[in-house]
Amino acid sequence: MKMLHFSIDDIQRFSKLYRLNLINSITGYKSANLIGTKSNSGDENLAIFSSITHLGSNPALLHFTLRPNKVPRDTYKNIKENKVFTVNHVSLAQIDQAHHTSAKYEEKISEFDQTLLEPEYKLDWYAPFVKSSPIALGCRYLNEYEIKENDCLLVIAAIEHIFIEDKLLQKDGWVKLELGKVVAINGLDGYALPQLQKRLDYARPKQIRKKI
Amino acid sequence: MKMLHFSIDDIQRFSKLYRLNLINSITGYKSANLIGTKSNSGDENLAIFSSITHLGSNPALLHFTLRPNKVPRDTYKNIKENKVFTVNHVSLAQIDQAHHTSAKYEEKISEFDQTLLEPEYKLDWYAPFVKSSPIALGCRYLNEYEIKENDCLLVIAAIEHIFIEDKLLQKDGWVKLELGKVVAINGLDGYALPQLQKRLDYARPKQIRKKI
């Protein structure tokens, strides 16, 4: 295995695009989620995110990051207005449409009108869900932390509703994402379909030994 | 598509294990990384994490979460002592060994001695890398944020060194993770191998239209 090495100085000297591609893909696969929001004046918004991460299960929390100060961010503005949003998983058939939500549309233009993705309202949740996503979450904004190292915001949210295609949910609560053809993101623009290899037992000391 | 619905009250009523499985898998695929550290007294530690996420590319930053106050956390203690750690991607052949690092060993016991994973020292970096990982990062602790919603810590770190198998790195800086058989994590214990479906162009308004 021939390895290449880059130092922090090398990384600084790369062109902006080269560095964006490299650093966005160097931490591994990321989740592929569409965040749905609606402004208080009724404008719907849908945007793809790759930074949504599980934070804790009791209470059920997730977090994601954004940069509200660099460019207009409809998602952030809408969440601040009414506190609710939806998280919708991207499945294989939705890749092109989901990626297109990253195009910079004006606030009054809904990504639902510019793509084949359709909004769906469930229960009394103010924010739109994405119809045909195999998993969709109704989330409530709780807090934000300003990451001073690069002026990002970390948003913390509670998972208040879970909608899941029944065949994905296994007997012990585990969600078999593969059965929903849920995709993962590689870098800024690569979409991959994971195949389950194995589920492993809870690890206890001394079950595996290197030296006997 | 038959959908199931769970409210926040349902989630609260699930058993602890059911809720752990459900909420850990409900946000989608996660990166699979081994964090390598070494205490100032020379004890090596290796632990699997699924919360490492890209934070920004200029400067090159990542973040991850941990709960230092619940149980002893060698990883956190070591990072606080000397500020450096390594992030090593888990490849297909390493799944069982990588998962086993989640077993609770005492501080003096190195996971490198309990698994087939081997430590490798590169340059003058104090923390051990994992030999044969297709991608390995030398990272420096910068800061931490206390997430008061569930007493987690968010650790912010700079990426100071990148080691990458040459065939993974593409001409534009993008890393084709598939070529390293890098895996993703589904929930607490599911390991999946992603296959690239497509890379898409930078999205611009009006390239895709729903209604013409």
Side-chain angles (χ1 to χ4, degrees):
Chain A
M1 183 153 63
K2 189 190 165 198
M3 300 294 279
L4 303 173
H5 168 247
F6 303 106
S7 70
I8 191 169
D9 293 332
D10 296 327
I11 296 168
Q12 275 304 317
R13 278 192 292 263
F14 288 139
S15 74
K16 181 183 172 188
L17 186 60
Y18 193 97
R19 187 171 51 236
L20 271 172
N21 280 324
L22 177 63
I23 304 300
N24 271 279
S25 46
I26 205 68
T27 54
Y29 289 103
K30 303 181 283 189
S31 57
N33 305 110
L34 289 159
I35 294 187
T37 56
K38 190 163 71 173
S39 72
N40 281 354
S41 52
D43 299 311
E44 293 172 339
N45 191 272
L46 189 67
I48 191 159
F49 279 77
S50 63
S51 65
I52 293 178
T53 309
H54 160 267
L55 176 61
S57 47
N58 190 20
L61 300 174
L62 57 77
H63 64 69
F64 66 96
T65 52
L66 37 71
R67 301 191 178 183
N69 304 321
K70 290 267 171 97
V71 290
R73 294 284 173 183
D74 300 337
T75 298
Y76 180 64
K77 186 190 78 65
N78 294 347
I79 290 175
K80 292 293 278 191
E81 280 184 11
N82 51 58
K83 308 301 183 197
V84 296
F85 61 98
T86 67
V87 170
N88 309 270
H89 287 232
V90 177
S91 63
L92 183 61
Q94 295 171 321
I95 291 175
D96 292 85
Q97 306 294 322
H99 185 70
H100 189 66
T101 63
S102 62
K104 289 179 178 59
Y105 285 105
E106 291 170 25
E107 183 184 347
K108 286 288 172 190
I109 295 178
S110 165
E111 287 75 11
F112 285 116
D113 291 331
Q114 300 296 326
T115 66
L116 294 168
L117 300 167
E118 291 183 53
E120 185 176 25
Y121 286 87
K122 295 170 184 276
L123 307 173
D124 59 350
W125 206 250
Y126 186 72
F129 293 87
V130 175
K131 196 172 174 177
S132 80
S133 279
I135 299 174
L137 311 174
C139 298
R140 185 177 301 279
Y141 170 98
L142 294 181
N143 201 359
E144 65 189 41
Y145 295 85
E146 199 184 319
I147 309 298
K148 68 176 188 187
E149 284 68 29
N150 69 348
D151 297 328
C152 271
L153 278 184
L154 183 86
V155 173
I156 310 293
I159 300 172
E160 296 201 353
H161 292 284
I162 294 174
F163 297 92
I164 179 172
E165 196 180 347
D166 63 347
K167 69 179 181 189
L168 276 63
L169 186 61
Q170 307 298 299
K171 279 187 181 167
D172 61 354
W174 184 68
V175 178
K176 194 171 184 177
L177 297 168
E178 182 185 61
L179 296 180
K181 295 192 174 162
V182 168
V183 299
I185 295 183
N186 176 175
L188 289 169
D189 48 21
Y191 292 83
L193 183 66
Q195 292 188 308
L196 185 71
Q197 302 298 305
K198 55 177 85 177
R199 276 191 82 186
L200 295 174
D201 290 335
Y202 184 80
R204 297 176 197 283
K206 297 187 181 171
Q207 284 175 325
I208 291 183
R209 269 198 176 277
K210 181 177 178 180
K211 296 152 187 163
I212 295 173
Chain B
M1 181 152 68
K2 189 189 164 197
M3 301 294 280
L4 302 173
H5 169 246
F6 302 107
S7 70
I8 192 168
D9 293 332
D10 296 326
I11 297 168
Q12 276 304 317
R13 278 192 293 263
F14 288 139
S15 74
K16 181 183 172 187
L17 186 61
Y18 192 97
R19 187 171 50 237
L20 271 171
N21 280 325
L22 177 64
I23 304 301
N24 271 279
S25 46
I26 205 69
T27 54
Y29 288 103
K30 302 181 284 188
S31 57
N33 305 110
L34 289 159
I35 294 187
T37 57
K38 190 163 72 175
S39 72
N40 280 356
S41 52
D43 300 310
E44 294 172 340
N45 190 273
L46 190 67
I48 191 159
F49 278 78
S50 63
S51 65
I52 294 179
T53 309
H54 160 266
L55 176 60
S57 48
N58 190 19
L61 301 173
L62 55 76
H63 64 70
F64 66 96
T65 52
L66 36 69
R67 300 192 179 184
N69 304 321
K70 290 270 171 92
V71 290
R73 294 284 172 181
D74 300 338
T75 299
Y76 180 65
K77 185 188 80 63
N78 294 347
I79 292 176
K80 292 293 279 190
E81 279 184 13
N82 50 60
K83 309 299 184 198
V84 297
F85 60 98
T86 68
V87 170
N88 309 270
H89 287 231
V90 178
S91 63
L92 184 61
Q94 296 171 320
I95 291 175
D96 292 86
Q97 306 293 321
H99 184 71
H100 188 66
T101 64
S102 62
K104 290 180 178 56
Y105 285 106
E106 291 170 26
E107 182 183 348
K108 286 287 172 193
I109 295 178
S110 165
E111 287 76 11
F112 285 115
D113 291 332
Q114 299 296 324
T115 65
L116 295 168
L117 301 167
E118 291 183 53
E120 185 176 25
Y121 287 87
K122 295 172 185 276
L123 307 175
D124 59 350
W125 206 249
Y126 186 73
F129 292 87
V130 175
K131 197 173 173 176
S132 80
S133 279
I135 299 173
L137 311 175
C139 298
R140 185 177 302 278
Y141 170 97
L142 294 181
N143 201 0
E144 65 189 42
Y145 295 85
E146 200 184 320
I147 309 297
K148 68 175 188 187
E149 285 68 31
N150 70 347
D151 296 328
C152 270
L153 278 184
L154 183 86
V155 173
I156 311 292
I159 300 172
E160 296 201 352
H161 293 285
I162 294 175
F163 298 92
I164 179 170
E165 196 180 348
D166 63 347
K167 69 178 182 190
L168 275 63
L169 185 60
Q170 307 299 298
K171 280 185 181 170
D172 61 354
W174 184 69
V175 178
K176 194 171 184 177
L177 297 168
E178 183 185 63
L179 296 180
K181 294 192 175 164
V182 169
V183 300
I185 295 183
N186 176 175
L188 290 168
D189 48 21
Y191 292 83
L193 183 66
Q195 292 188 309
L196 184 70
Q197 302 298 305
K198 55 177 87 177
R199 275 191 84 186
L200 295 175
D201 290 334
Y202 183 81
R204 296 176 198 282
K206 298 186 182 173
Q207 285 175 324
I208 292 183
R209 268 199 178 277
K210 181 177 180 182
K211 295 153 188 165
I212 296 175

